[in-house]
Amino acid sequence: MKSILVTGGAGFIGSHVVRRFVNKYPDYKIVNLDLLTYAGNLENLKDIDTMPNYEFVKGDITDAPFINSLFSKYQFDGVLHLAAESHVDRSILDPMTFIMTNIVGTVNLLNGAHEIWKSNTDGKRFYHISTDEVYGSLGETGFFLETTSYDPQSPYSASKASSDHLVRAYHNTYKLPIVITNCSNNYGPNQFPEKLIPLAIQNIRHNKPIPIYGKGENIRDWLYVEDHASAIDLVFHEGENGETYNIGGHNEWTNIALIRQLCITMDKKLDREPGSSEQLITYVKDRAGHDLRYAIDSSKIQRELGWKPSLQFEEGIEKTVEWYLNNTDWLENVSSGAYEKYYEKQYKSR
Ligand code: NAD
Ligand code: TYD
C-alpha cells in the first residue's frame, strides 16, 4: 500500500482531491493533514471519512518537529501539498501568516520528504500545487506559459512564488523528485465565501450588496474545481520529474460579466424577477495592487499528458449555484463567527 500525504485536504480544492484519491485508489493510504483554519472544514469530507484508506491528522505545517515526526511515522511515498493561506485580500491585511504557512510550511515539508527519501527516491514524488498569480498580471493580450518570468504582485502571490522557487531549489540541489502545477482561478462546491463567486451567491441569497472592486474590468480565467482535481491526479501519476505544468480553463471573464451571468442563474434558481439580483451589484474601492488579467496557456499539459477540462462554464456555474443552494447550512455555518468580523473589516470602509 502506498502512503500519500495530502496537506490542506479540508479546504476547497484539497477536499475534492482527497475525495477523488480515496475513492479511486483503494491501495493508497491517504493521510489528510490540515490545521483546520477558518478555511478548513471536515464537513467537506463527511462522505468519505469512514473509508478504511483515509485518515485525518490535525496539525500545523509550520511546526517542523511535528512535520518530521509525521514523515518518520508514516514513511510517505508521495506528497500532494495544497495547504496554504489562499486569499489575496487577507494577505493584504496580514502578510505574515502567508509567509509562515506558504513559505516556512513548504520548507518544513520539503525537509521532511528529503530526510526520508534521500537514500532512495524510487517511486517518490513531492507535488506542489501553486497558482497562476505567481506570474503577475497580463495586459489585454497574451497568456502565461510555464516559461513566463515570475512577477508576483500581492503578498499572497509573492509567498506562493517563493514556495515554488524553494521546491525547484530542492529538486536542483538535493534531487528531490518534484512536480509543480500553476492553476488559474477555481470555482465550485465547498469554496469559502470570501472568494468572489460564493461571496456573490451568499449575498444574493440575503439581498445584500455584491461588492465589485474598481470597475469590474479585471479578468480571471475560471476552472471548475473537479477539473483541477483531475489534472492533479494526472500530473501526480504521469507528470515528468522536475517539470512545471500550467492548468487553466481557457475561460476568461471580466468580473462584472461573470457576476451578471451569475445573477441571471440566481434569479432563475430562486424564482426571482429577472434582473432583480443584478440590482445588488455595488462598485466599491479597488483592491490595492489589483492584477488586471490572468490567462493560462495550458497547451503543455494538454499535449504531453492529454488533460482537458470536462465542463463548459455555463454548466459549471449551474452546478455550483445548485450546490450552494442545496447546502445553505454549510454556507451559513462557515459564514458565521470569525468570518463576519473579517467581512466587516474588509468591506466596511469600501
Ligand atoms: P483553501 O484556503 O480553501 O484551503 C487551504 C487549506 O489549508 C485549509 O483547509 C486550511 O485549514 C489549511 N491550512 C492553512 N494553513 C495551514 C497550516 N499552517 N497547516 C496545515 N494546514 C493549513 O485553499 P484552496 O483554494 O483550496 O487552495 C489550495 C491550494 O491551491 C493552495 O495552495 C492555493 O495556493 C492553490 N490554488 C488555489 C486556487 C484557487 O482558485 N482557489 C487556484 C490555484 C491554486
Ligand atoms: P478572488 O475570488 O478573491 O480571487 P483572486 O483574487 O485570487 O483572483 O477574486 C476574483 C476577482 O474578483 C478579483 O479580480 C477580485 C474580484 N473581487 C471583487 O470584485 N469583489 C470581491 O468582493 C472579491 C472577493 C473579489
Side-chain angles (χ1 to χ4, degrees), residues 197-256:
I197 291 178
L199 183 146
I201 293 173
Q202 176 70 321
N203 286 14
I204 292 169
R205 283 185 61 236
H206 291 295
N207 275 309
K208 276 174 61 178
I210 309 166
I212 299 290
Y213 297 162
K215 295 183 178 148
E217 286 166 356
N218 303 66
I219 294 171
R220 298 293 182 263
D221 172 0
W222 294 92
L223 180 70
Y224 192 66
V225 62
E226 282 175 10
D227 280 329
H228 189 187
S230 80
I232 289 174
D233 186 350
L234 196 61
V235 171
F236 184 67
H237 291 99
E238 291 176 34
E240 203 56 51
N241 183 22
E243 287 294 312
T244 291
Y245 300 88
N246 282 353
I247 305 169
H250 273 293
N251 178 40
E252 292 181 51
W253 289 77
T254 61
N255 293 335
I256 187 64

Side-chain angles (χ1 to χ4, degrees), residues 37-48:
T37 67
Y38 77 91
N41 188 347
L42 289 178
E43 275 280 293
N44 296 349
L45 290 166
K46 61 178 189 301
D47 54 323
I48 56 114

Side-chain angles (χ1 to χ4, degrees), residues 104-295:
V104 176
T106 300
V107 175
N108 287 338
L109 293 163
L110 289 166
N111 285 337
H114 175 51
E115 186 56 35
I116 63 163
W117 297 346
K118 63 187 172 199
S119 56
N120 183 5
T121 57
D122 281 357
K124 311 292 192 245
R125 169 145 286 183
F126 188 103
Y127 181 175
H128 179 60
I129 282 89
S130 192
T131 166
D132 61 353
E133 303 191 25
V134 298
Y135 298 121
S137 180
L138 291 163
E140 276 163 24
T141 57
F143 294 91
F144 297 135
L145 287 158
E146 288 80 359
T147 49
T148 301
S149 297
Y150 276 32
D151 187 21
Q153 300 293 316
S154 72
Y156 164 64
S157 56
S159 68
K160 290 296 290 188
S162 176
S163 63
D164 292 11
H165 289 316
L166 285 157
V167 173
R168 262 184 222 110
Y170 273 63
H171 176 67
N172 294 327
T173 310
Y174 308 113
K175 308 291 170 237
L176 193 78
I178 64 109
V179 276
I180 300 177
T181 50
N182 296 86
C183 189
S184 61
N185 286 58
N186 284 215
Y187 71 99
N190 304 100
Q191 186 169 34
F192 196 81
E194 65 191 354
K195 303 273 167 63
L196 180 65
I197 291 178
L199 183 146
I201 293 173
Q202 176 70 321
N203 286 14
I204 292 169
R205 283 185 61 236
H206 291 295
N207 275 309
K208 276 174 61 178
I210 309 166
I212 299 290
Y213 297 162
K215 295 183 178 148
E217 286 166 356
N218 303 66
I219 294 171
R220 298 293 182 263
D221 172 0
W222 294 92
L223 180 70
Y224 192 66
V225 62
E226 282 175 10
D227 280 329
H228 189 187
S230 80
I232 289 174
D233 186 350
L234 196 61
V235 171
F236 184 67
H237 291 99
E238 291 176 34
E240 203 56 51
N241 183 22
E243 287 294 312
T244 291
Y245 300 88
N246 282 353
I247 305 169
H250 273 293
N251 178 40
E252 292 181 51
W253 289 77
T254 61
N255 293 335
I256 187 64
L258 181 144
I259 291 300
R260 288 206 173 107
Q261 181 70 32
L262 184 70
C263 287
I264 294 170
T265 312
M266 288 292 285
D267 284 344
K268 268 197 249 151
K269 299 279 175 198
L270 293 171
D271 268 335
R272 289 188 183 168
E273 195 67 29
S276 56
S277 297
E278 212 177 300
Q279 288 170 18
L280 299 168
I281 291 175
T282 308
Y283 292 95
V284 300
K285 188 169 158 238
D286 208 354
R287 172 186 280 172
H290 197 173
D291 289 337
L292 176 68
R293 174 171 167 257
Y294 305 145

